[in-house]
Amino acid sequence: MLAHQMTNQKDVTILIVEDDKDLLSGIQDVVESTDFVEEDTTYNVQVLCASDGQAGIDLLASTTPDLIISDVMMPKITGFEFLEYTQSREDLLHIPFIFLTAKDDVRAQHQGLLNGASLYLTKPFDFRILIKHIRSQLKKSFAQQGAQEQFHKAIKKEILKVLNHEFRTPLTYVTSYSEMLTYKMEELQSIEGYQEHLRGIQAGCVRLSKLIDDFIIVIDLYSGGIKEDFHNQAEIINDFHSIITQALDHHGNLIEEEQVQVQLNLSKGLPSIVGVRTQIVNILVRLLDNALKFSQKMDRETLIQIETKQVGDELHIIVCDNGQGMPSRIVDNIFDLFYQHNRMVQEQQGAGVGLHIVASLMKFHNGRIEIKSEIDQGSEFTLIFPINDRISSENGLLKIDTVATVLLVEDDPNLLDGLQDLLETIEGKYIIDVMKATNGLEGLEQLKNQLPDLIISDIMMPKMSGYEFLEEVRKNPEWLHIPVIFLTAKGKTPDKDKAYIMGVDEYLTKPYESTLLLNYVESQLDKRFALQRIVEQDFDSLKKSILNLVTPSFRQPISSVNQYVDQLKNSMENVETEEGFMESLQGIQQGSEWLNRLIEDFMSLAELKTDEAKDAYRLQSQLIPNFGVVISDFFRMNSAKMASGGIKISLETLDVQVPPIYGNISQIFNSFNRLIEVGIKLGKTPDSLLQISFSVKEQDDVVVINMDFHASIREDVAIMMSQILDNNKNDDELYKTFEFAPDLSIAQGYITLHGGEISLHTVANGKFAFSIALPISSGPEIDIF
């Protein structure tokens, strides 16, 4: 059998800014004639040329390159000014920027690197070395982007997976118990029987409400919303007794019902910390919830102990229980998002987000959480807050310093301690916590325990050199984003070239100027946190698009169900009329059906926003050669079902010989059903017959399905519907207020996956119509690359 190897193809754009036309042309020729192949990927390189910084800026208005090479000394706008422009745009921050200049000046070099350049190379240069640097910068940039995309995808899939299970589980409580109340009234002879079913309904509502709240917090953690709250709401806190009392009051009823013994050992005169009061209460509420939950069904009295004390320059709040405890092997995982221990046994524990939220909120307070636990002996959680003696205010607001963690890897103990003292004592933009290692191997072990924001490493070390250490760091997708500064006695150009080609971010030689080192540390941290904010914005977009459906939409039916349950519970012993009783039952049933539809819509939107629907399209799509016949069968089935509801469906034009399309028939029909439902809600009145006319025909290179509703709609409604169907003009407020936004958005989302579109048409004769266009296909579009 003849085998052939295929590689992935990736289009790459490189922008070169150089005022010397001959040199510009020479660099372009060398770059374009070079075969850029990395492992299994071939880069198809396109070079864009600009003669000065202004021309480069003009090109960036319409193009986003993957790498920029720029001279420094140019007319109109210099290279430094051009760099400043690129660093001012968040969408360009991730792009590697290489200075290639005759300005061989140490000050200029530091200026360029400190302002955001990835490399500063001087002329004359070796083209072979330049190509190596280009390869290295592209490889590192694409690897970081790929790792970030995989992280996003994994988180989104985990969120979707948990929601798919967790949102439906409590819904089952609501729907099942409400159905049993409706259909088994005669079997429930006692009030207690009714009360049990009502308790089941309310338990489902409570759990669903809690899941919604937790989900919002998790999304806020990843979108930067919690961080923003911390910086806006942080205050000086010293009334810890009041905060602990507030958290205990949250569980007051359960503590009383379960006869839980609570012991407080609160030290007096504790120093102040900086924090957000509501977030600290939230942390304690979750730890108490955890303690109460896993202390139930034990053959001993539940005991919870809370202690506060000062330990050095830290404040400790300790929450102890005598519950089930957990094995030591899972302690390291217990704070991971969606992690659950013994899930099959502990079904009531929730979605596995509570302790992750606790650990994340502690991180925003520049603190941490530690745990000790033993099976059948209980668990001890210690919240550790830093006592901040650098509290200051600015314009009447509390100034919050950002804490950054730096890993120092250095085999000379004196230099290591000196670096630590320098970083931890300097009063700059960041409060720096230092991790230490004496060689590369120790550095890798530290990285496994905690991810720093920056690494500073020597090169010449025993056991594992800085080069070997850097190579391992750049191999690991979870560490790719961490900037690395080499601080070394090796000062020759080949050593620097080797380090940069391997992926180091900065290269400083010993002996070093403290101020210069601190400037580079601050510059790298600035860039690190700026890129992190961009990542958070990606989650913010996801948050807005999904939460527009979650809140307040979910809370309305939950509140409605709870209201009817309370009516039944309060009047169970003296129901005045069977009509009133049945009204409450019907209210519960309608509320549960409402919830069920909302959750299905929510999951469909979440699948579209997290690319899960795209994966389903790729896996389940196939060529549909007899699409006209399939459409005909679909409409005949719907016609039979809708006839009894005062809806008449007619097929005006049906070309059963329309060309085939390629797609996922389930997603296509889901879209059709949603559009039909929207049209019926808009056009059907109780006393009228609604006629719907369908036509299917080939038009140019698409198959067009028209749904004509013989009814009129208001102009403002038509405008809002068109806005929803326009993928480029989605309005967040519209999703919150417009009843048909979810159905239209989901229908358009599925059709867009197929390369098609939906449009709304209104005509003078009082009809409105949906037009669905799907591209004609002779087979699947297989991307062999």
Side-chain angles (χ1 to χ4, degrees):
M1 179 181 292
L2 179 64
H4 64 280
Q5 184 176 2
M6 293 186 297
T7 61
N8 297 316
Q9 303 285 319
K10 184 175 182 63
D11 293 331
V12 172
T13 302
I14 297 177
L15 170 62
I16 303 175
V17 186
E18 170 62 64
D19 62 331
D20 185 320
K21 293 183 179 179
D22 292 336
L23 183 56
L24 179 61
S25 177
I27 298 173
Q28 179 182 11
D29 289 344
V30 170
V31 171
E32 289 183 335
S33 63
T34 300
D35 290 331
F36 285 91
V37 180
E38 287 295 337
E39 297 177 351
D40 62 344
T41 302
T42 298
Y43 297 154
N44 301 315
V45 177
Q46 175 192 15
V47 175
L48 302 178
C49 296
S51 58
D52 57 61
Q54 184 57 59
I57 290 174
D58 293 341
L59 280 172
L60 291 176
S62 58
T63 304
T64 301
D66 299 292
L67 183 138
I68 298 172
I69 301 173
S70 175
D71 191 9
V72 171
M73 298 177 289
M74 297 180 292
K76 296 182 181 178
I77 289 182
T78 68
F80 289 140
E81 293 170 319
F82 178 53
L83 172 64
E84 183 180 4
Y85 169 78
T86 65
Q87 297 300 294
S88 69
R89 282 180 50 179
E90 287 188 346
D91 60 322
L92 303 179
L93 271 179
H94 68 284
I95 299 173
F97 191 110
I98 300 175
F99 271 133
L100 187 60
T101 175
K103 195 174 180 62
D104 190 3
D105 179 284
V106 174
R107 281 190 174 184
Q109 177 181 345
H110 290 315
Q111 180 183 351
L113 294 173
L114 286 171
N115 287 336
S118 308
L119 282 173
Y120 192 100
L121 305 178
T122 55
K123 304 170 184 175
F125 58 89
D126 186 330
F127 272 108
R128 292 170 299 175
I129 298 298
L130 175 62
I131 292 299
K132 287 183 179 180
H133 281 301
I134 292 174
R135 290 182 191 276
S136 170
Q137 291 295 324
L138 288 173
K139 181 180 179 180
K140 185 170 76 168
S141 177
F142 291 146
Q144 289 173 338
Q145 292 175 49
Q148 199 65 64
E149 288 170 5
Q150 288 301 314
F151 173 74
H152 286 180
K153 191 171 184 179
I155 288 294
K156 291 174 181 178
K157 280 184 175 290
E158 282 297 317
I159 289 174
L160 192 64
K161 182 174 70 176
V162 167
L163 294 181
N164 205 11
H165 176 270
E166 295 299 333
F167 270 45
R168 287 193 169 97
T169 299
L171 181 64
T172 301
Y173 282 83
V174 178
T175 55
S176 297
Y177 278 113
S178 63
E179 287 173 1
M180 284 190 284
L181 274 176
T182 304
Y183 298 116
K184 296 186 178 182
M185 290 180 59
E186 296 180 0
E187 299 177 21
L188 298 173
Q189 300 296 330
S190 65
I191 291 177
E192 181 56 35
Y194 282 108
Q195 295 282 12
E196 180 184 350
H197 284 64
L198 293 174
R199 281 194 295 270
I201 295 171
Q202 284 197 313
C205 288
V206 168
R207 183 170 173 182
L208 190 53
S209 295
K210 188 175 184 299
L211 281 168
I212 293 169
D213 292 336
D214 285 353
F215 174 67
I216 293 170
I217 293 175
V218 167
I219 295 295
D220 267 338
L221 287 173
Y222 285 93
S223 66
I226 297 293
K227 182 191 292 185
E228 185 178 348
D229 289 344
F230 181 85
H231 284 276
N232 291 336
Q233 301 172 20
E235 58 181 308
I236 298 173
I237 296 174
N238 52 26
D239 55 334
F240 305 106
H241 187 280
S242 171
I243 287 175
I244 291 169
T245 300
Q246 191 175 344
L248 286 168
D249 288 345
H250 184 88
H251 294 290
N253 291 337
L254 183 58
I255 289 173
E256 185 177 346
E257 290 173 9
E258 299 292 331
Q259 297 182 333
V260 176
Q261 184 181 354
V262 178
Q263 293 181 357
L264 300 180
N265 182 14
L266 310 181
S267 300
K268 295 182 179 179
L270 291 171
S272 302
I273 64 169
V274 173
V276 177
R277 187 177 303 274
T278 55
Q279 291 182 2
I280 297 175
V281 170
N282 191 334
I283 289 169
L284 289 168
V285 165
R286 291 178 184 279
L287 289 183
L288 289 170
D289 180 68
N290 197 72
L292 291 166
K293 188 187 304 178
F294 293 103
S295 295
Q296 294 175 350
K297 299 180 181 179
M298 301 290 288
D299 57 355
R300 55 178 176 263
E301 183 183 43
T302 300
L303 171 64
I304 294 177
Q305 298 170 297
I306 304 176
E307 178 184 2
T308 60
K309 62 182 179 181
Q310 181 179 353
V311 180
D313 58 354
E314 298 173 334
L315 172 75
H316 289 205
I317 301 179
I318 304 166
V319 179
C320 253
D321 66 68
N322 64 341
Q324 299 173 14
M326 64 189 82
S328 57
R329 60 182 169 80
I330 72 156
V331 168
D332 291 339
N333 307 111
I334 200 68
F335 299 111
D336 293 346
L337 183 61
F338 304 131
Y339 181 82
Q340 296 170 306
H341 169 56
N342 210 6
R343 168 73 192 181
M344 298 306 294
V345 177
Q346 302 293 345
E347 173 64 28
Q348 85 284 0
Q349 65 179 294
V353 300
L355 291 179
H356 177 77
I357 291 172
V358 167
S360 299
L361 291 177
M362 287 300 299
K363 186 175 181 181
F364 286 121
H365 285 77
N366 298 328
R368 65 188 188 279
I369 181 169
E370 295 179 353
I371 178 175
K372 297 177 183 176
S373 190
E374 189 176 342
I375 291 290
D376 293 331
Q377 299 300 312
S379 301
E380 177 183 294
F381 291 89
T382 302
L383 304 172
I384 302 172
F385 296 89
I387 297 168
N388 194 342
D389 57 1
R390 288 172 56 177
I391 298 173
S392 60
S393 61
E394 193 174 274
N395 299 325
L397 298 174
L398 200 62
K399 186 179 179 182
I400 307 298
D401 290 317
T402 300
V403 173
T405 304
V406 177
L407 170 61
L408 301 178
V409 188
E410 168 63 64
D411 63 326
D412 186 319
N414 293 324
L415 283 176
L416 187 60
D417 291 341
L419 274 171
Q420 180 179 11
D421 291 341
L422 174 66
L423 294 174
E424 290 186 337
T425 58
I426 191 71
E427 291 196 12
K429 185 185 295 186
Y430 301 100
I431 298 175
I432 294 180
D433 286 339
V434 169
M435 304 160 55
K436 294 193 295 186
T438 60
N439 58 60
L441 284 176
E442 287 186 12
L444 294 179
E445 288 302 313
Q446 289 279 38
L447 287 172
K448 293 174 184 176
N449 296 325
Q450 182 181 351
L451 291 185
D453 300 300
L454 173 67
I455 298 171
I456 302 175
S457 175
D458 191 10
I459 291 179
M460 296 180 290
M461 296 180 292
K463 297 183 180 180
M464 177 181 278
S465 71
Y467 288 134
E468 295 169 314
F469 173 62
L470 175 63
E471 186 177 20
E472 293 300 317
V473 170
R474 292 296 177 241
K475 280 181 184 177
N476 192 320
E478 295 182 7
W479 302 343
L480 268 172
H481 66 281
I482 305 173
V484 179
I485 298 176
F486 269 163
L487 188 59
T488 175
K490 294 172 72 69
K492 295 182 179 180
T493 298
D495 296 320
K496 294 181 180 180
D497 285 335
K498 178 180 179 180
Y500 280 117
I501 289 169
M502 290 183 67
V504 80
D505 294 273
E506 303 290 2
Y507 192 106
L508 300 177
T509 55
K510 302 172 184 175
Y512 59 87
E513 294 180 22
S514 298
T515 302
L516 184 63
L517 172 62
L518 291 172
N519 286 340
Y520 274 105
V521 167
E522 186 171 296
S523 172
Q524 285 298 322
L525 290 174
D526 285 346
K527 191 168 186 177
R528 165 82 185 94
F529 291 127
L531 291 172
Q532 185 174 304
R533 284 192 293 273
I534 295 172
V535 172
E536 290 168 350
Q537 289 171 6
D538 178 68
F539 278 97
D540 189 55
S541 174
L542 173 68
K543 178 185 80 170
K544 287 179 179 177
S545 59
I546 295 180
L547 294 192
N548 285 334
L549 180 63
V550 177
T551 54
S553 301
F554 274 122
R555 303 195 190 280
Q556 294 172 359
I558 291 174
S559 175
S560 174
V561 171
N562 269 323
Q563 179 183 348
Y564 284 116
V565 168
D566 285 337
Q567 286 180 12
L568 279 182
K569 289 176 73 174
N570 293 335
S571 60
M572 187 65 70
E573 296 184 3
N574 51 355
V575 178
E576 295 181 3
T577 64
E578 184 177 348
E579 181 180 349
F581 187 80
M582 291 304 299
E583 181 184 348
S584 295
L585 285 179
Q586 289 172 2
I588 293 172
Q589 186 70 28
Q590 290 170 359
S592 68
E593 291 173 357
W594 186 5
L595 267 176
N596 189 67
R597 178 56 188 266
L598 276 172
I599 286 177
E600 292 303 322
D601 286 351
F602 172 66
M603 294 310 304
S604 295
L605 277 174
E607 286 170 357
L608 285 165
K609 297 297 181 180
T610 58
D611 291 336
E612 193 77 5
K614 185 183 292 184
D615 291 343
Y617 167 78
R618 289 171 178 164
L619 291 172
Q620 300 172 15
S621 291
Q622 58 185 337
L623 189 68
I624 308 173
N626 53 343
F627 189 58
V629 176
V630 172
I631 293 292
S632 174
D633 291 342
F634 170 81
F635 289 134
R636 285 196 182 95
M637 288 175 59
N638 275 276
S639 177
K641 287 192 296 184
M642 296 179 185
S644 60
I647 300 164
K648 181 182 178 182
I649 294 180
S650 61
L651 291 170
E652 290 192 349
T653 305
L654 176 62
D655 181 2
V656 293
Q657 299 299 320
V658 293
I661 69 162
Y662 182 79
N664 181 330
I665 198 66
S666 175
Q667 291 178 340
I668 293 173
F669 282 177
N670 188 309
S671 298
F672 288 177
N673 282 324
R674 289 178 182 277
L675 294 176
I676 290 171
E677 187 172 329
V678 169
I680 290 172
K681 286 180 180 178
L682 284 168
K684 182 75 174 70
T685 60
D687 301 324
S688 66
L689 175 71
L690 175 64
Q691 184 174 346
I692 309 174
S693 302
F694 292 93
S695 65
V696 183
K697 61 183 179 180
E698 178 185 357
Q699 183 174 314
D700 297 327
D701 56 351
V702 296
V703 174
V704 178
I705 302 97
N706 286 314
M707 301 180 181
D708 294 304
F709 296 84
H710 295 243
S712 59
I713 55 174
R714 299 198 318 264
E715 182 179 357
D716 60 325
V717 173
I719 291 172
M720 288 188 287
M721 291 171 69
S722 295
Q723 286 178 335
I724 293 293
L725 292 173
D726 187 339
N727 286 325
N728 296 318
K729 296 181 181 179
N730 286 340
D731 186 335
D732 290 338
E733 288 302 315
L734 209 54
Y735 277 82
K736 296 178 183 178
T737 58
F738 189 46
E739 175 187 357
F740 306 112
D743 280 320
L744 293 174
S745 183
I746 293 167
Q748 180 69 302
Y750 286 146
I751 297 300
T752 300
L753 286 178
H754 290 73
E757 63 179 10
I758 303 172
S759 54
L760 174 72
H761 306 281
T762 56
V763 290
N765 61 2
K767 293 194 299 182
F768 67 92
F770 291 115
S771 180
I772 305 101
L774 291 167
I776 294 169
S777 174
S778 58
E781 295 182 7
I782 301 175
D783 183 3
I784 64 172
F785 304 115

